[in-house]
């Protein structure tokens, strides 16, 4: 797992400095790129790390800190996950819960669950995740090809 | 209907009973307890979704596995089984035939003058010819409990459990007739300028002191004889 925390990308947000979180994709873990400067967060690939809690700790920590810094700016979060294990799905639920609570308190966040139009499993999983949240706008976005 | 979360539902029911029982006296306690019950309900719903998502993923993996299994057993060009799958099944059928004292037979088929066919019409047409012959073989053994596979380049093999020599003779004749009826032109062949096949058949009752390779060798020897005796014919291992 490679975590690149580029000091050049440090930003001044709400009086706090946020690094860009960049984790390169591996065979068992997804590409993560959380860009506070662009208010664009993306998780892409497959997720079945041996220790999902360990892998996602910096991701959830970053999100928690980021949610403290934002106000009304438009934030887009994208998930494009082909395959994930059970521990990952629980972590995703916790992730969406954090976003849901932030939206409940007035933050402007949208989540796009992106999947190939032929991947019925990913679509159905997206629908299940959507059921679990209350306030967060949760769009299932279908695309063709790869 | 059985609920996989039966125990969790019982806990919730007990908690709700306690709320209305009057055992909790202070309003603060009741409110606090109600909040916990609500949170538990939410987490239970989440657990249901997690299990459903895991089931969806497992089902997808199962389908992928089935697809891969099919690919690994099939000859890509002809859609018949491949040699690996044939060998696996020969071993299984050999043991079953031994256990139940049943006859086991094999037909080996080779397209005559196939090199000349490729030279005359090109490899793409050669592939189509292989597909046509494979289709005829598959159709001809439809009513039998047989397994047809591509054995090599232009060579096919059929495994026929519970089939004796008389039945295998009939089946080989049927395949030859069906191929003749297909009437595929073959300018490069001296045999009526049509596509034809040579066949070797072998049948035996499995015994403990021999191995399954013997049966394949017998059919192969018979096929060699068919080719040596002018092709476009069926020969039995004697």
């Amino acid at each position: 797992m490679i975590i690149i925390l580029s000091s050049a990308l440090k930003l001044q947000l709400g009086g706090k400095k946020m690094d860009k979180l960049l984790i390169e994709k591996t065979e068992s873990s997804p590409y993560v790129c959380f860009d506070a400067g662009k208010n664009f967060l993306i998780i892409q690939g497959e997720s079945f790390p041996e220790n999902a809690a360990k892998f996602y700790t910096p991701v959830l920590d970053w999100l928690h800190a980021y949610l403290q810094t934002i106000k009304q700016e438009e934030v887009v979060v994208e998930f494009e996950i082909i395959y994930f294990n059970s521990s990952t799905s629980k972590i995703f639920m916790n992730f969406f819960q954090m976003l849901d609570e932030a939206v409940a308190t007035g933050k402007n966040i949208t989540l796009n669950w992106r999947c190939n139009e032929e991947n019925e499993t990913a679509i159905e999983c997206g629908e299940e995740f959507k059921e679990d949240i209350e306030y967060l706008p949760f769009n299932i976005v279908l695309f063709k090809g790869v | 209907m059985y609920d996989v979360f039966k125990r969790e539902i019982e806990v919730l029911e007990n908690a709700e009973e306690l709320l209305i029982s009057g055992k909790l006296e202070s309003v603060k306690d009741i409110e606090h307890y109600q909040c916990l019950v609500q949170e538990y309900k939410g987490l239970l719903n989440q657990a249901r979704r997690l299990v459903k998502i895991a089931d969806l993923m497992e089902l997808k993996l199962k389908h992928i596995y089935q697809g891969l299994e099919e690919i690994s057993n099939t000859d890509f060009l002809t859609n018949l089984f491949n040699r690996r799958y044939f060998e696996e099944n020969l071993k299984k059928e050999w043991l079953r035939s031994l256990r139940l004292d049943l006859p086991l037979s094999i037909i080996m088929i080779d397209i005559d003058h196939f090199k000349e066919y490729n030279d005359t019409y090109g490899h793409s047409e050669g592939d189509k010819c292989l597909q046509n012959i494979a289709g005829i073989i598959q159709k001809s053994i439809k009513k039998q409990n047989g397994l047809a596979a591509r054995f090599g380049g232009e060579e096919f093999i059929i495994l026929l459990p519970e089939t004796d020599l008389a039945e295998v003779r009939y089946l080989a004749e049927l395949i030859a007739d069906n191929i003749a009826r297909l009437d595929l032109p073959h300018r490069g062949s001296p045999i009526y300028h049509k596509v034809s096949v040579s066949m070797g058949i072998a049948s035996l009752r499995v015994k403990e002191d021999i191995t399954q390779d013997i049966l394949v060798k017998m059919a192969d020897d018979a096929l060699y004889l068919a080719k040596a005796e002018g092709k476009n014919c069926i020969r039995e291992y004697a």
Side-chain angles (χ1 to χ4, degrees), chain A residues 12 25 39 72-73 81 88 92 102 129 134 136 138-139:
Chain A
Q12 195 75 30
K25 149 187 180 177
N39 293 310
Q72 288 298 310
E73 54 270 50
I81 303 284
T88 298
F92 283 179
F129 283 125
E134 212 171 330
L136 171 73
F138 193 110
N139 307 315

Side-chain angles (χ1 to χ4, degrees), chain B residues 188-238:
Chain B
S189 169
I191 307 163
Y192 313 114
H193 298 300
K194 299 283 178 199
V195 170
S196 63
V197 296
S198 298
M199 281 186 253
I201 61 179
S203 183
L204 52 66
R205 279 207 176 253
V206 177
K207 292 190 184 97
E208 269 176 10
D209 56 347
I210 48 174
T211 65
Q212 69 267 17
D213 304 336
I214 297 286
L215 186 60
V216 178
K217 175 82 170 61
M218 284 163 65
D220 198 31
D221 286 353
L223 175 64
Y224 182 81
L225 196 67
K227 290 168 93 75
E229 292 184 4
K231 301 180 177 168
N232 188 32
C233 63
I234 303 163
R235 291 292 176 265
E236 297 171 17
Y237 182 86

